[in-house]
Amino acid sequence: MDIDDLNLTDERMGLPEKTYSIKAEEGLIGSIFLKPKIMSEILEIVNEEDFYKGSHKILFNEMKKAHENGKIIEVLVIVELLKKNNILEEVGGEDTIYDFTEVVSTAANATTYARIIKEKSIQRQLIDVGEEIIKLSQNSYSSIEKIIDDAEKKIFEISKKKQHQDIIRVAELADQKIKLLDEYQNSTSELSGIPTGYFAFDQMTGGLHGSDLMILAARPAMGKTAFALNLAISVAKQNKHVLVYSLEMGNEQLFDRILSIMARIRLKSLKDNMLKKEEMFKMGEIFGEITEMPLYISDSASVNMMELKSTARRLKSEGKLDFLLIDYLQLISPQEGYRKSREQEISEISRSLKLLAKELNIPILTLSQLSRGVEQRNDKRPMLSDLRESGAIEQDADLVMFLYRDSYYKKNNFDDEEQDETSDDSSGSNANSSEGNEKGEEVELIIGKHRSGPIGTIKLSFEASYQQFLNIKDEQHLPPSE
């Protein structure tokens, strides 16, 4: 970082002494001169922007550049670099540099100094955010929702205790990749992401990955809520924290479905509270496992993006969010005061979900509707152009999946176009429903977009009575590996 790019405004009047420590900054710089090899460890804790004193920022920045270029961090080298860049006087001259070598007698406390500097830096950042919030609050042109959202985002970024980098050296990315590959080599799992339990899907995608926005779309009664819950349960069973936002169903309905999937009890029996003795026994057995799973549910009927982001950030900061499921995208309310077309609203929601996945580094799966245009074609398999209301959904998503049940169309003549468009309850009152059918129906999981891999069709078995999606072991159904 060049000196012109450094933020030297921390050294300013009015800040309480508790928000900086000149002695810790001097101690750290002196420690590095005594033991240059410690620089790699120090850079994992602080960077030049964490220093309070402007001259210390400049000096540490030059020391970091020397380290990155493979040069030895010693006084003579740093003095020559400062002279070459005409900034020696900016740090107090040559004598000041030599003085740092006498500040400490050992480098043993270097990481302690670094942590103190980082804590003080975070304090100052919080003060800056507080001042920004005050200014925004006094600005009548900003909505309250936007002010709260901006404030939460800034505080969440600070809570991660690392500086956001818009620009990053390729060398740093290489280091990150090597660490990731080492972790992968030492892992017992063959997948780079979170396994779903669906072998063909995992083979195709490598599992669920952080920062990915995934869309699962289908016409009503295809079983998209059931499939999404199967995924959520599979992830939660691996002791990963899962949050399910159900904007259509209440908590009790959702719990019935989870219980049906896990205990293999007919969903209709649970709805009607008509359980046989053996089903009661199975339910009791599964309760212990359910209570141990880190699975959370919110059945807010009118959540907006600001509320959703706020909850997700809070859970993530508490270490309680690894996977977010939203049922479904079109039911997310726009922010209060947002007055645009429905297509623009959906585009904004879609983009916000992608940014949230990236910000929190978690996979987000949201369900979505398809347009009725599917019903007008002879081949009713969905395609990307069928995504309802906005092409931005396709653009923002890393993975777009469709569910298709050929058996559903064979049993229905499409006379019931008045059915509730928002219903995905494949076990409802429809007489042609597969509820009660013990035999699994073949379902196609069509991957129509995959930003990081192949597309294709995966065949699964759906047992509607139990809301379960199961693997089909026949190898002919596995998509070709890339």
Side-chain angles (χ1 to χ4, degrees):
M1 183 180 289
D2 295 331
I3 184 172
D4 293 337
D5 298 323
L6 282 174
N7 175 17
L8 303 177
T9 59
D10 266 350
E11 191 179 352
R12 60 189 188 271
M13 300 294 292
L15 280 177
E17 290 185 13
K18 289 182 179 181
T19 64
Y20 58 89
S21 174
I22 302 298
K23 289 184 178 179
E25 293 181 9
E26 292 174 343
L28 178 59
I29 293 171
S31 297
I32 295 169
F33 277 130
L34 287 177
K35 190 178 179 181
K37 289 183 179 179
I38 205 171
M39 191 64 169
S40 295
E41 186 177 348
I42 296 305
L43 287 172
E44 293 180 1
I45 304 172
V46 296
N47 62 34
E48 60 276 6
E49 292 291 350
D50 290 316
F51 286 78
Y52 169 73
K53 194 169 182 180
S55 60
H56 293 169
K57 288 176 186 280
I58 297 169
L59 179 55
F60 187 83
N61 186 45
E62 289 302 312
M63 295 169 80
K64 185 180 83 168
K65 287 194 288 187
H67 172 74
E68 290 173 345
N69 293 325
K71 296 180 180 179
I72 299 172
I73 303 176
E74 58 180 28
V75 174
L76 285 174
V77 173
I78 299 302
V79 167
E80 289 303 314
L81 286 172
L82 291 168
K83 283 181 179 178
K84 182 180 178 181
N85 295 322
N86 297 316
I87 53 175
L88 181 59
E89 297 307 315
E90 297 280 351
V91 298
E94 190 170 331
D95 290 340
T96 300
I97 307 299
Y98 279 98
D99 288 342
F100 280 110
T101 62
E102 300 177 2
V103 173
V104 291
S105 58
T106 175
N109 296 319
T111 54
T112 300
Y113 296 142
R115 291 190 181 97
I116 291 171
I117 293 167
K118 189 67 177 181
E119 287 178 5
K120 302 296 184 183
S121 172
I122 290 171
Q123 281 183 278
R124 298 195 299 275
Q125 290 175 55
L126 287 170
I127 289 172
D128 290 341
V129 170
E131 290 174 351
E132 285 183 42
I133 293 170
I134 290 171
K135 290 178 182 177
L136 285 171
S137 300
Q138 293 171 339
N139 181 2
S140 59
Y141 296 104
S142 297
S143 68
I144 294 299
E145 288 76 15
K146 187 177 187 307
I147 293 170
I148 294 173
D149 185 42
D150 288 346
E152 285 181 342
K153 186 175 182 179
K154 290 178 185 294
I155 292 171
F156 178 77
E157 288 171 354
I158 293 172
S159 74
K160 291 190 292 186
K161 298 185 179 180
K162 61 181 180 182
Q163 289 294 112
H164 176 71
Q165 293 178 304
D166 293 318
I167 301 173
I168 186 169
R169 288 191 68 211
V170 173
E172 293 179 56
L173 292 173
D175 288 341
Q176 292 174 15
K177 187 64 176 178
I178 289 170
K179 288 178 183 178
L180 185 64
L181 289 171
D182 284 341
E183 290 174 5
Y184 179 66
Q185 292 294 326
N186 296 325
S187 172
T188 55
S189 173
E190 296 181 356
L191 303 176
S192 56
I194 302 172
T196 66
Y198 296 106
F199 309 131
F201 178 83
D202 288 339
Q203 176 186 331
M204 214 170 180
T205 64
L208 308 178
H209 297 85
S211 80
D212 275 3
L213 174 62
M214 299 172 289
I215 305 294
L216 176 63
R219 288 292 291 155
M222 290 294 108
K224 58 181 180 288
T225 298
F227 181 68
L229 284 179
N230 274 263
L231 288 178
I233 291 167
S234 180
V235 173
K237 282 183 175 181
Q238 300 171 63
N239 204 33
K240 302 287 186 182
H241 293 79
V242 180
L243 171 60
V244 177
Y245 257 107
S246 178
L247 310 182
E248 184 179 32
M249 298 182 191
N251 287 337
E252 294 78 9
Q253 289 176 290
L254 214 56
F255 184 73
D256 281 349
R257 286 179 173 240
I258 292 169
L259 196 54
S260 177
I261 293 166
M262 294 187 66
R264 282 190 62 83
I265 298 173
R266 294 178 184 83
L267 181 59
K268 189 174 189 308
S269 299
L270 286 166
K271 285 181 174 180
D272 296 341
N273 296 313
M274 298 290 289
L275 299 184
K276 299 175 182 177
K277 285 185 180 180
E278 59 267 26
E279 290 175 327
M280 288 291 291
F281 181 74
K282 284 165 67 177
M283 187 174 69
E285 281 186 325
I286 211 68
F287 267 11
E289 185 178 353
I290 289 178
T291 55
E292 291 295 319
M293 288 195 312
L295 180 60
Y296 309 89
I297 295 173
S298 173
D299 66 349
S300 175
S302 59
V303 69
N304 61 36
M305 271 308 304
M306 189 192 76
E307 294 166 341
L308 193 150
K309 288 191 287 188
S310 177
T311 301
R313 285 173 181 147
R314 175 175 56 81
L315 288 176
K316 181 65 176 180
S317 67
E318 295 171 358
K320 295 179 179 178
L321 187 58
D322 299 301
F323 178 44
L324 176 60
L325 166 61
I326 303 166
D327 185 7
Y328 56 87
L329 187 147
Q330 280 83 3
L331 287 179
I332 299 174
S333 303
Q335 291 184 184
E336 191 174 336
Y338 195 88
R339 297 290 181 266
K340 294 187 179 180
S341 70
R342 184 57 179 161
E343 183 172 334
Q344 289 173 317
E345 288 176 356
I346 295 297
S347 297
E348 182 66 26
I349 290 167
S350 173
R351 185 61 182 156
S352 295
L353 287 174
K354 174 55 187 173
L355 292 174
L356 183 65
K358 186 176 179 182
E359 176 187 335
L360 304 185
N361 193 30
I362 61 169
I364 294 179
L365 172 64
T366 179
L367 278 53
S368 178
Q369 288 183 336
L370 291 177
S371 68
R372 290 191 178 188
V374 176
E375 314 294 356
Q376 312 307 318
R377 299 195 299 263
N378 290 329
D379 184 353
K380 294 174 174 54
R381 287 175 176 81
M383 57 184 69
L384 291 172
S385 58
D386 295 320
L387 286 170
R388 186 171 175 179
E389 290 176 312
S390 175
I393 299 174
E394 176 191 345
Q395 178 182 322
D396 295 327
D398 298 282
L399 189 71
V400 179
M401 303 176 283
F402 304 103
L403 279 178
Y404 172 74
R405 287 166 56 198
D406 192 54
S407 58
Y408 173 84
Y409 287 105
K410 285 179 179 177
K411 287 186 286 186
N412 289 276
N413 296 317
F414 312 110
D415 294 328
D416 193 14
E417 284 292 347
E418 298 303 316
Q419 65 176 315
D420 183 2
E421 274 258 325
T422 65
S423 174
D424 188 40
D425 185 355
S426 61
S427 58
S429 59
N430 189 338
N432 292 315
S433 152
S434 57
E435 176 63 52
N437 181 5
E438 300 296 332
K439 185 179 179 181
E441 296 182 52
E442 188 176 272
V443 177
E444 294 180 18
L445 177 64
I446 303 166
I447 297 184
K449 177 188 176 182
H450 188 191
R451 203 187 298 274
S452 304
I455 60 174
T457 298
I458 296 163
K459 300 210 176 171
L460 300 171
S461 175
F462 179 43
E463 296 185 2
S465 296
Y466 309 114
Q467 296 292 285
Q468 277 193 332
F469 277 82
L470 305 170
N471 288 295
I472 292 179
K473 296 180 181 179
D474 190 341
E475 291 185 1
Q476 69 176 347
H477 293 143
L478 294 177
S481 57
E482 196 175 55

